[in-house]
Amino acid sequence: MPSFAKVASLLLLALSTPNAGAFAPPSSSTAAKNAVPSSTSVDMGPPLPDVILAETYGEGSRKYRRTVYTHNEWVKHRASDRFIRNLSSMVNSGVYKSLAKEVFATTAVAAFLCFWNALTGGYTDLDGVQHAAVISALPQLTLPLTPFTLLSPSLGLLLVFRTNSSYGRWDEARKFWGLNINHTRDLNRMATAWYGHDGQVIDPEKRAEDLRQISLFTWAFVRSMKRHLSPPAEDEEAFIKEIRARLTPEQAENIITANHRPNRALYDLSVAIEKLPMHFVRKDELNKNLSIFEDTLGGSERLLSSPVPLFYSRHTARFLATWLLFLPFALYDPFKDSWNHLAMIPVTSFISIMLFGIEELATQLEEPFTILPMQGFCDKIGGWCDEIVSWAGDYTEDAYDMNVREMSKM
């Protein structure tokens, strides 16, 4: 068994590459080529080698998990060598690194148990000679495997529900931003196509400015929502810089100083819609999108402020930790065929990594906003809206010239 463990360890290290990443995003070189320029975009993908250790796992690593896939990433994602690639990156896994203390605790229990039982029950030396107990007055520490077998289905159900609930929260948050993306485009498309009514003469410059305001305040809303859902230390400075760069000083300060910035941006967007020379029925259609924005904002606030009930999360964590800490006592006898039961130690470590890893995944997914690429969404929304409102230019100049000629004939 010891020789097999050594061979397996060497094989794993040989497969590992210095640049292997534990994170889902594409490699840093690919991400750099496909990145959308932005003043506040965070580089996605595995942390670079020179990044401080705290940034490679735990809270510091969340910004590297903001994945955006294109066709190239999907090809790599389903490649036939994905198992080898994922196995080779285990030693760099941010999830596994964050579990170091827990796995060390269970492994230490297993190692102590082997040492204790060797002292109290005898041991085999390297020559295969059996020796009597050093301390025969003390008992060996073991437990039957049956209680753990009986509790395994219950623990599995707790972990499944915990993981499903957390993934559901991530999926709901992603759908909220999907609705934002869809309806920001819808809003600007309708505003551009429906501008003006009753054959009135439209000044192209005024039309361009009015629609530009619609586009700007649409972007200001989603950018304010992103800041509202992000940690202040990460986004406050960048948010203020972006808002002041794109809006007028008065408009920017109105949003920055508001107690609830997304609400203020949404109000400004509503006022900009109301100023459009458009039939009120069409304005009502535009305002329906704003009601959807309120729903996505409120739903996101609910997810941010209300975790999975704490008593459920705490009971699951206590159940899992207790089960794994006492598991070595039940594994001691089943590994009697290994040298001094030592094979129990790496097996305990492996089981701990896998089961603690499931709970860690659920915890990381539970708060979804700091692993969603919200900055990328905002940048895309701003670019798309600016493009949509620009489509009015050619049509507006032709229509304006024709209306002026018609009016001159009267």
Side-chain angles (χ1 to χ4, degrees):
M1 181 61 67
S3 61
F4 174 78
K6 291 180 181 178
V7 172
S9 301
L10 290 173
L11 179 61
L12 184 60
L13 290 173
L15 289 173
S16 302
T17 58
N19 295 326
F23 304 95
S27 64
S28 56
S29 59
T30 304
K33 293 178 182 178
N34 298 332
V36 178
S38 170
S39 59
T40 60
S41 289
V42 178
D43 291 336
M44 294 179 289
L48 297 175
D50 58 348
V51 171
I52 59 174
L53 181 63
E55 292 285 297
T56 64
Y57 67 95
E59 200 65 28
S61 69
R62 290 181 69 83
K63 59 176 160 290
Y64 300 108
R65 303 184 188 276
R66 297 164 185 172
T67 55
V68 178
Y69 264 35
T70 61
H71 293 292
N72 292 335
E73 283 74 43
W74 279 115
V75 170
K76 182 179 179 181
H77 182 75
R78 55 178 175 258
S80 58
D81 66 342
R82 62 187 181 276
F83 294 104
I84 299 298
R85 185 175 68 249
N86 290 329
L87 283 173
S88 67
S89 65
M90 283 184 66
V91 293
N92 297 320
S93 171
V95 172
Y96 300 154
K97 286 179 181 179
S98 65
L99 299 173
K101 294 179 181 178
E102 292 85 350
V103 175
F104 176 80
T106 58
T107 305
V109 170
F112 170 79
L113 191 63
C114 288
F115 175 75
W116 176 270
N117 286 346
L119 292 177
T120 59
Y123 64 95
T124 303
D125 63 19
L126 294 175
D127 295 325
V129 178
Q130 183 68 33
H131 295 268
V134 178
I135 309 175
S136 57
L138 296 176
Q140 285 189 305
L141 302 176
T142 62
L143 287 173
L145 193 57
T146 304
F148 295 89
T149 304
L150 293 175
L151 287 173
S152 294
S154 300
L155 179 59
L157 288 174
L158 284 172
L159 290 174
V160 166
F161 179 80
R162 179 90 169 86
T163 307
N164 284 349
S165 298
S166 296
Y167 175 78
R169 292 166 60 86
W170 179 90
D171 185 55
E172 189 175 8
R174 180 60 184 87
K175 288 177 179 176
F176 285 148
W177 275 95
L179 285 173
N180 282 344
I181 292 171
N182 295 345
H183 287 278
T184 51
R185 292 185 294 202
D186 201 33
L187 166 65
N188 282 266
R189 174 187 57 81
M190 289 190 290
T192 301
W194 291 347
Y195 190 95
H197 68 95
D198 296 336
Q200 59 182 292
V201 178
I202 302 299
D203 183 354
E205 293 183 1
K206 182 179 184 304
R207 178 170 185 165
E209 178 58 25
D210 288 346
L211 293 177
R212 190 181 72 87
Q213 291 296 309
I214 297 293
S215 175
L216 277 177
F217 284 124
T218 302
W219 168 82
F221 165 70
V222 293
R223 186 61 184 87
S224 299
M225 180 173 170
K226 189 263 181 182
R227 167 61 195 89
H228 189 64
L229 301 172
S230 300
E234 177 185 316
D235 196 39
E236 178 67 16
E237 183 179 349
F239 168 76
I240 293 176
K241 182 178 179 181
E242 285 190 55
I243 288 292
R244 286 177 174 168
R246 297 199 63 180
L247 302 180
T248 65
E250 181 181 0
Q251 292 170 340
E253 291 307 312
N254 286 339
I255 293 177
I256 291 170
T257 59
N259 291 328
H260 196 289
R261 290 162 170 174
N263 276 348
R264 175 67 204 206
L266 206 57
Y267 166 78
D268 290 337
L269 178 56
S270 183
V271 171
I273 291 174
E274 187 61 29
K275 291 179 179 179
L276 296 178
M278 185 181 297
H279 195 277
F280 73 91
V281 173
R282 289 180 168 178
K283 288 183 181 180
D284 289 344
E285 290 298 317
L286 267 64
N287 279 299
K288 288 179 181 179
N289 291 290
L290 273 60
S291 297
I292 293 173
F293 296 156
E294 285 283 12
D295 291 339
T296 61
L297 175 61
S300 297
E301 290 174 329
R302 169 176 53 80
L303 291 176
L304 185 63
S305 62
S306 304
V308 173
L310 293 179
F311 53 81
Y312 186 94
S313 302
R314 289 169 180 168
H315 178 69
T316 303
R318 291 164 183 158
F319 191 161
L320 177 61
T322 304
W323 194 90
L324 286 172
L325 284 170
F326 282 96
L327 182 63
F329 294 89
L331 292 179
Y332 186 81
D333 286 338
F335 282 92
K336 61 185 177 181
D337 292 333
S338 64
W339 185 67
N340 290 321
H341 305 252
L342 288 183
M344 176 187 71
I345 298 176
V347 169
T348 299
S349 299
F350 178 76
I351 294 174
S352 299
I353 289 173
M354 294 300 109
L355 292 183
F356 277 134
I358 295 174
E359 200 277 338
E360 176 69 12
L361 292 178
T363 302
Q364 292 293 326
L365 284 170
E366 188 175 3
E367 189 275 283
F369 299 107
T370 48
I371 57 174
L372 281 175
M374 295 190 295
Q375 183 63 47
F377 296 155
C378 294
D379 294 341
K380 287 289 188 181
I381 288 171
W384 286 327
C385 291
D386 287 344
E387 180 186 28
I388 290 171
V389 298
S390 71
W391 294 338
D394 293 339
Y395 167 78
T396 300
E397 292 176 2
D398 293 342
Y400 180 73
D401 292 341
M402 182 181 66
N403 285 331
V404 170
R405 287 195 299 269
E406 293 295 328
M407 293 294 292
S408 63
K409 294 178 181 178
M410 295 178 61

